[in-house]
Amino acid sequence: MAAKFSHVVDDIHHNRLFPSLSLPNSLDRSIMGVGRFLLNVLVVLAAVAGGFYQFKLRPLLERFGHGRIIRSVGNTDCTGVPELKACEKIVLHQPTGVIYLACSTPESRVHWTPAVGHLNAEGASREDYVATYDPLTQKITRLTVTGFTSKRGLSLHGMDVVPSADDPDQLWVYLVNHRAPLEGDARKVGADSAIEVFKTIVGSSKLEYVRTVEDDTIITPNDLIGSPDGKSFYVTNDHGVKVGFSRDLEMLGRSATSVVYCHVDEGCKFAIQGMHGNNGIAQAPNGTIYVVNSLHGALNVLERQADNTLVLTDVIEVDRPMDNAMVDSEGHVWTAAFPKALTLVFKHFKDPVNVLSPSTAFRFSINTGEDAFYGKKFKVDRAFEDDGEIASGTTSAVYDAERNRLFLNGLAAPRLTICKL
């Protein structure tokens, strides 16, 4: 384009375009000056656009799955449970092998998923539920809520299930509840999310309400880890603000997400700020906390301090966005990952019934190979990958190492998938 424009300017200068028109020298020089200025502007804009694509947009598109080939891994011995769909988070109760799931409906997720900007509160389900699934008996139990009288209902996202320090048969259940705002259009003001704390007993069909925790620091909660006394938790904010342009800038690298620590007797505070793409969170038995950078594709390793703040100690990068994390009984960290994130967000989340989205599960472990000597501290294995036919739209991957079962489900997934690896 710049070359063509240069020829036009040259023709004007030599009076070849309009031979019958005679231009004064001063006007001739003015036209040439304007032409050269515009040419320079075009060249600069082309260079800026090329640089932006090469160094920003292209890597982003590749990370989000543009051009990626899906290769089947670990998906040859799997079964599906279609009764359990749209369960964003799975938590394993290791002693029994039973899993707990925070579930909704695919139809509700299309309208109401604040994490991905779906803010049509009128289309939201207010009757989301926690279910259990026993792989041995294949029994599904939808837990009945008692004592929870809020008319705002439950719209569930992240969850943690923690055995009580006093009685291992008693379980604390921490839930992210995306409530609609009491005033204003949710599209303009965002969700009014809170943390709900319940308790149950192993094998029970009831979920007893304990308390609701809400605070200004709990801005856009995504996932959480709870304590064994039912009184404290860490929760991730997946964006720095509920709505607005600055939220969109986080896609390009703006670091505005955080982790919040709350205690029912002490209140809430930011444990760490200025992070990017915070999403799933998990804790190892030794106290190490893992937070997923969903946008960039990284697992952040953090250490808890005496004042309950967090310090970043390591970052393990992968080649695609990820979601929820869990730590298995052997100490390996598992995450769900999105090999085709663009398909997931812009197609599957809008039409989960008809649009399948490929799924990946990563396993992170301490590197014991020869390259550990050269500074490669962690090993990342792609333990599962599927084109979406078997496991579609996975946002939670949980592995039972004792029984060799991988559980997969997702925000708007059509089923629970169980695979033997």
Side-chain angles (χ1 to χ4, degrees):
M1 180 178 177
K4 292 181 180 179
F5 188 83
S6 178
H7 289 313
V8 171
V9 172
D10 188 57
D11 286 342
I12 291 174
H13 177 64
H14 292 94
N15 205 22
R16 288 195 290 263
L17 286 181
F18 309 102
S20 61
L21 179 63
S22 178
L23 299 175
N25 290 337
S26 59
L27 181 58
D28 187 27
R29 287 193 297 271
S30 296
I31 293 175
M32 279 300 298
V34 171
R36 287 170 181 159
F37 172 76
L38 292 176
L39 179 60
N40 289 336
V41 169
L42 288 173
V43 170
V44 170
L45 289 176
V48 171
F52 177 78
Y53 174 79
Q54 185 69 24
F55 296 106
K56 277 287 186 182
L57 188 56
R58 181 179 176 181
L60 192 65
L61 291 173
E62 290 177 350
R63 188 183 312 136
F64 287 174
H66 179 68
R68 177 173 288 128
I69 298 173
I70 306 301
R71 294 180 173 85
S72 296
V73 178
N75 64 346
T76 58
D77 190 2
C78 302
T79 57
V81 185
E83 295 85 355
L84 291 169
K85 58 187 67 177
C87 303
E88 201 278 337
K89 184 69 185 289
I90 306 171
V91 179
L92 169 68
H93 183 248
Q94 188 66 65
T96 61
V98 172
I99 58 171
Y100 288 73
L101 307 97
C103 305
S104 183
T105 66
E107 295 77 17
S108 175
R109 301 296 197 191
V110 170
H111 294 283
W112 185 251
T113 307
V116 293
H118 294 181
L119 295 170
N120 174 20
E122 294 180 357
S125 164
R126 298 298 167 199
E127 298 180 353
D128 289 2
Y129 61 96
V130 174
T132 62
Y133 178 77
D134 186 340
L136 285 179
T137 63
Q138 299 182 5
K139 181 181 179 181
I140 300 170
T141 303
R142 180 167 171 167
L143 303 188
T144 302
V145 173
T146 63
F148 184 70
T149 59
S150 172
K151 295 181 180 180
R152 306 176 73 180
L154 293 173
S155 292
L156 301 183
H157 196 147
M159 175 181 68
D160 196 16
V161 180
V162 186
S164 168
D166 299 324
D167 179 3
D169 286 336
Q170 178 177 299
L171 306 175
W172 297 104
V173 180
Y174 299 81
L175 298 167
V176 173
N177 184 15
H178 291 309
R179 308 176 302 186
L182 290 173
E183 298 180 0
D185 186 344
R187 298 177 185 89
K188 297 180 179 179
V189 301
D192 182 26
S193 304
I195 307 304
E196 313 287 0
V197 183
F198 291 81
K199 62 181 179 181
T200 188
I201 301 295
V202 173
S204 172
S205 62
K206 294 184 179 180
L207 199 61
E208 181 183 346
Y209 173 72
V210 177
R211 63 175 58 90
T212 298
V213 180
E214 47 192 340
D215 190 83
D216 290 342
T217 59
I218 303 175
I219 305 166
T220 55
N222 186 294
D223 194 21
L224 74 173
I225 50 173
S227 65
D229 62 2
K231 291 186 176 182
S232 64
F233 56 85
Y234 286 95
V235 58
T236 58
N237 282 316
D238 57 30
H239 288 84
V241 294
K242 296 182 180 183
V243 294
F245 178 68
S246 62
R247 176 184 168 110
D248 298 330
L249 292 178
E250 295 176 28
M251 184 70 71
L252 298 177
R254 181 173 181 266
S255 298
T257 61
S258 58
V259 180
V260 171
Y261 172 77
C262 292
H263 192 286
V264 297
D265 298 326
E266 302 168 5
C268 299
K269 66 179 183 180
F270 288 107
I272 187 170
Q273 293 178 273
M275 300 183 74
H276 181 249
N278 280 6
N279 195 298
I281 184 171
Q283 184 171 5
N286 66 359
T288 299
I289 291 176
Y290 301 92
V291 173
V292 171
N293 180 336
S294 181
L295 294 176
H296 181 76
L299 185 65
N300 296 308
V301 185
L302 302 105
E303 294 299 330
R304 184 175 183 173
Q305 306 301 295
D307 61 354
N308 297 310
T309 58
L310 299 174
V311 173
L312 181 66
T313 60
D314 279 296
V315 177
I316 313 167
E317 295 190 353
V318 294
D319 64 349
R320 65 199 68 184
M322 298 188 294
D323 207 319
N324 292 306
M326 69 85 66
V327 181
D328 69 20
S329 59
E330 295 180 350
H332 302 146
V333 182
W334 291 73
T335 66
F338 312 141
K340 294 282 188 179
L342 295 174
T343 299
L344 178 80
V345 175
F346 295 109
K347 295 182 179 180
H348 173 74
F349 283 165
K350 292 183 179 180
D351 187 6
V353 176
N354 297 307
V355 179
L356 300 179
S357 179
S359 300
T360 298
F362 282 128
R363 178 179 57 233
F364 296 79
S365 56
I366 300 297
N367 184 23
T368 58
E370 296 181 359
D371 51 355
F373 178 79
Y374 299 100
K376 188 177 180 181
K377 297 171 61 176
F378 302 95
K379 181 183 178 183
V380 184
D381 295 307
R382 188 161 47 93
F384 176 89
E385 189 159 290
D386 179 67
D387 63 5
E389 290 289 342
I390 294 171
S392 176
T394 297
T395 61
S396 192
V398 168
Y399 183 63
D400 184 345
E402 293 181 13
R403 303 168 182 88
N404 187 29
R405 295 192 186 107
L406 177 65
F407 301 95
L408 306 156
N409 212 318
L411 182 75
R415 70 185 68 87
L416 167 69
T417 300
I418 307 168
C419 299
K420 293 182 178 180
L421 301 182

